[in-house]
Amino acid sequence: MTRLDTSFAALSDPTRRGVLEQLGRSDASITDLAQKFDMTLTGMKKHVGVLEQAGLVSTRKIGRVRTCQLGPRRLEEEQAWLERYRQRWEERFDELEKVVEELSRKEKGDESRNRK
Amino acid sequence: MTRLDTSFAALSDPTRRGVLEQLGRSDASITDLAQKFDMTLTGMKKHVGVLEQAGLVSTRKIGRVRTCQLGPRRLEEEQAWLERYRQRWEERFDELEKVVEELSRKEKGDESRNRK
């Protein structure tokens, strides 16, 4: 699994995106997060584990409480991939538009020649 | 499943990202794609199906050949989510830095007071 595989997979779940949004506001314990997202502790631990694996969340245990905060990765690579994609997408559709225009110009040309 | 779930899941596979990059250069049949990515036709059909579900690829069948091209979605929402995330990430780390600075200032203050 490459880095992009892991991070896009981590982002493909609404609870995990919610956890990241929450941790963007303030750090939280797994118990807090489980309550906030109406989920069992085990379920939340699993989600946090996926986010931790992807470098999106860091956790530290103080006494009996495991606190979560945003991890080291800020998803720059992922953003760059999407940006490149959007650019290519627009170029492709511009090309297609030109082809369609060219075809319709030719058609009109043929029509006017046929009329003569 | 929301739109972001489907698209991020679609992007979490290197072959699928490769197919999108390829279709950004030119349209291709499923057979072309299977060859290029050294994959069975069935395997490639599955990947293309996931991309089609996510609106990232459109296919049309002309005679016996199914041609793939980039789909209607240009991943703007996904880009916006990542952009917001990165901003929050930077704000959080700025806040943390300030807390650390504040603590180290206080510590120095205490030290100089203790020395007097």
Side-chain angles (χ1 to χ4, degrees), chain A residues 64-80:
Chain A
R64 296 184 58 184
V65 180
R66 183 170 291 280
T67 303
C68 308
Q69 60 179 48
L70 292 185
R73 297 211 59 214
R74 64 180 116 180
L75 297 173
E76 274 173 319
E77 232 180 297
E78 292 72 9
Q79 238 192 324

Side-chain angles (χ1 to χ4, degrees), chain A residues 2 5 8 11-12 14 17 21 23-24 27 71-75 79 81 83 86 88-90 92, chain B residues 2 5 8 11 14 17 21 23-25 27 71-74 79 81 83 85-86 88-90 92:
Chain A
T2 71
D5 298 359
F8 281 134
L11 293 176
S12 70
R17 289 196 304 278
E21 284 162 10
L23 297 180
D27 297 355
R73 297 211 59 214
R74 64 180 116 180
L75 297 173
Q79 238 192 324
W81 195 93
E83 174 61 26
R86 204 186 43 72
R88 282 307 292 145
W89 193 96
E90 272 157 22
R92 286 295 291 155
Chain B
T2 72
D5 297 359
F8 280 134
L11 294 175
R17 290 197 303 278
E21 284 162 10
L23 297 179
R25 289 186 286 268
D27 297 355
R73 298 211 57 216
R74 66 179 116 179
Q79 238 192 325
W81 194 94
E83 175 60 26
Y85 178 76
R86 203 185 45 72
R88 282 305 294 145
W89 192 95
E90 272 159 21
R92 287 294 290 156

Side-chain angles (χ1 to χ4, degrees), chain B:
Chain B
M1 290 254 281
T2 72
R3 227 144 82 139
L4 287 184
D5 297 359
T6 325
S7 48
F8 280 134
L11 294 175
S12 69
D13 181 276
T15 304
R16 291 198 291 264
R17 290 197 303 278
V19 166
L20 292 177
E21 284 162 10
Q22 176 56 41
L23 297 179
R25 289 186 286 268
S26 66
D27 297 355
S29 71
I30 302 225
T31 316
D32 293 340
L33 291 172
Q35 269 171 1
K36 195 154 293 199
F37 291 90
D38 199 17
M39 194 167 264
T40 62
L41 218 53
T42 318
M44 186 47 77
K45 268 183 194 158
K46 225 167 155 181
H47 280 311
V48 167
V50 173
L51 290 167
E52 209 172 1
Q53 279 279 320
L56 295 170
V57 161
S58 299
T59 69
R60 65 210 142 94
K61 204 165 183 176
I62 303 174
R64 297 183 59 185
V65 179
R66 183 169 291 280
T67 303
C68 308
Q69 59 179 49
L70 291 186
R73 298 211 57 216
R74 66 179 116 179
L75 297 174
E76 273 172 320
E77 232 180 296
E78 291 72 8
Q79 238 192 325
W81 194 94
L82 289 183
E83 175 60 26
R84 269 200 315 278
Y85 178 76
R86 203 185 45 72
Q87 274 173 12
R88 282 305 294 145
W89 192 95
E90 272 159 21
E91 281 163 29
R92 287 294 290 156
F93 279 76
D94 285 352
E95 282 167 25
L96 278 181
E97 221 164 75
K98 266 181 212 148
V99 170
V100 170
E101 267 171 32
E102 188 62 25
L103 282 176
S104 94
R105 225 193 330 269
K106 269 191 193 156
E107 218 162 74
K108 276 182 197 152
D110 289 349
E111 269 172 29
S112 66
R113 257 195 305 284
N114 288 341
R115 249 181 269 133
K116 276 174 201 166

